[in-house]
Amino acid sequence: MANREGIEELLLGNDGSVENASAQDLNSKASIETGTNMSERVRYIEPDSQSHVQDQPYTFFTKFPLSIVCFVFTVVVCIAANFFDLVPEFNWQSWLTICMTIGALVLMANNCPPELVMLAVTIILRLFNVINDEQAWSGFHSQGILAIGVLLVVVKCLEEAGTIEMVVGNFLGRTSSPTVAICRLCFPVVMTSAFINNTPVVAMMIPIVLKWANANQLPPSQLLIPLSYSALLGGMCTLIGTSTNLILQELLLRDKEEGHDPGFQMSFFSITPVAVPVAVVGLVYMTIAAR
């Protein structure tokens, strides 16, 4: 009996040790496999990330090779034209200006920030004495540009307060007819863009129009173009409706200061008698063309 009990204890101990050993082996295998998988994953991921980091500076050159070739070709042509004096009226500064202009267009066409591109071009032209200090920085103290900036701040405040959405929402309502929808949309947009810069008005109205079109089961494509055109028609009714009018007023004032009297003065409502009939005709045409 004692021998039998000893043998059973020995077997149970061996079984337990075998089970413990097998469990330890499984854990070690799992850890090894996990470590192997992790090392393989690191081995396969790290080159991709490194290649992505290495290829990132060359993304522009590989994505827009035609633009780079066009710019290099323009530079070579301008250097050759300056060397052989193909245009006697042009000097090296003229050809440099042409190169910078084409380079700026290439960069902005490839989604580079326009403000950074134009600032870099201005600095380069100033360093090469193509333009003077007054010509380089005259835009920063332009009354028209400052007025546009102030209007953008005002429009942003109205957007955050929800004023325009509340005003325009009362005109929109519910309708299933595209013709009625265009009428209800264009009239408040024309009135709003006449006293607020039309560019931010369109930017604010796009999400409102999309939401309103989905709620009334209307195709948004039939409302976005009338939205843009009605903002343009309303913006030309007053002086501050569009940035073009502000810049034109500044040019007129500059000519008057230099002694070139244009013969008229551009006030807030000076173009309204002409612009309002044009806006009405444009609205009627958009309403008829929507049928």
Side-chain angles (χ1 to χ4, degrees):
M1 293 294 293
N3 294 329
R4 185 176 180 180
E5 290 177 357
I7 292 171
E8 290 179 354
E9 290 178 357
L10 180 62
L11 292 175
L12 290 173
N14 290 334
D15 292 338
S17 63
V18 170
E19 291 177 357
N20 292 332
S22 62
Q24 292 177 357
D25 293 337
L26 290 175
N27 291 331
S28 61
K29 281 184 178 181
S31 62
I32 293 172
E33 291 178 357
T34 304
T36 304
N37 293 333
M38 290 297 294
S39 61
E40 292 178 354
R41 190 176 300 173
V42 170
R43 186 170 62 252
Y44 287 113
I45 289 175
E46 285 181 353
D48 294 338
S49 61
Q50 291 176 358
S51 62
H52 177 71
V53 173
Q54 292 176 358
D55 294 340
Q56 189 172 2
Y58 305 100
T59 303
F60 178 81
F61 299 98
T62 57
K63 191 175 181 180
F64 307 104
L66 183 60
S67 301
I68 300 300
V69 171
C70 293
F71 178 68
V72 173
F73 177 75
T74 304
V75 173
V76 173
V77 170
C78 291
I79 293 174
N82 183 44
F83 181 78
F84 292 104
D85 198 13
L86 296 181
V87 182
E89 293 81 6
F90 284 8
N91 54 13
W92 66 270
Q93 294 178 337
S94 304
W95 297 113
L96 176 63
T97 304
I98 294 174
C99 290
M100 290 296 101
T101 303
I102 296 177
L105 293 177
V106 169
L107 291 175
M108 289 187 290
N110 294 324
N111 297 325
C112 292
E115 62 276 8
L116 297 180
V117 173
M118 299 308 296
L119 182 61
V121 171
T122 303
I123 293 175
I124 292 174
L125 294 178
R126 180 64 192 93
L127 290 177
F128 285 94
N129 292 324
V130 179
I131 55 178
N132 54 28
D133 291 335
E134 184 179 358
Q135 294 172 342
W137 316 117
S138 60
F140 289 96
H141 60 80
S142 172
Q143 296 180 359
I145 301 300
L146 293 176
I148 295 171
V150 172
L151 288 176
L152 291 176
V153 174
V154 173
V155 171
K156 186 62 177 179
C157 295
L158 294 176
E159 180 183 2
E160 294 294 333
T163 305
I164 296 180
E165 183 176 1
M166 180 184 63
V167 172
V168 177
N170 295 329
F171 286 91
L172 297 180
R174 298 189 62 85
T175 180
S176 59
S177 174
T179 304
V180 178
I182 290 176
C183 292
R184 291 183 178 180
L185 173 66
C186 292
F187 178 74
V189 171
V190 168
M191 296 297 296
T192 305
S193 59
F195 298 96
I196 302 175
N197 194 271
N198 53 7
T199 302
V201 168
V202 175
M204 287 188 301
M205 287 296 300
I206 287 177
I208 299 175
V209 171
L210 293 177
K211 182 179 179 181
W212 180 59
N214 294 328
N216 291 275
Q217 297 181 353
L218 295 172
S221 58
Q222 294 184 4
L223 300 177
L224 293 178
I225 293 298
L227 168 64
S228 178
Y229 286 172
S230 58
L232 291 174
L233 293 173
M236 67 181 184
C237 293
T238 59
L239 179 63
I240 64 173
T242 179
S243 56
T244 308
N245 294 341
L246 293 171
I247 296 175
L248 179 60
Q249 184 200 25
E250 183 182 2
L251 293 176
L252 291 174
L253 293 176
R254 186 181 302 175
D255 290 341
K256 191 174 182 179
E257 292 176 356
E258 294 177 355
H260 306 287
D261 191 1
F264 67 95
Q265 185 177 359
M266 195 171 179
S267 61
F268 193 87
F269 294 105
S270 61
I271 56 179
T272 304
V274 179
V276 169
V278 175
V280 172
V281 172
L283 294 178
V284 172
Y285 173 78
M286 286 190 293
T287 304
I288 296 175
R291 297 182 178 180

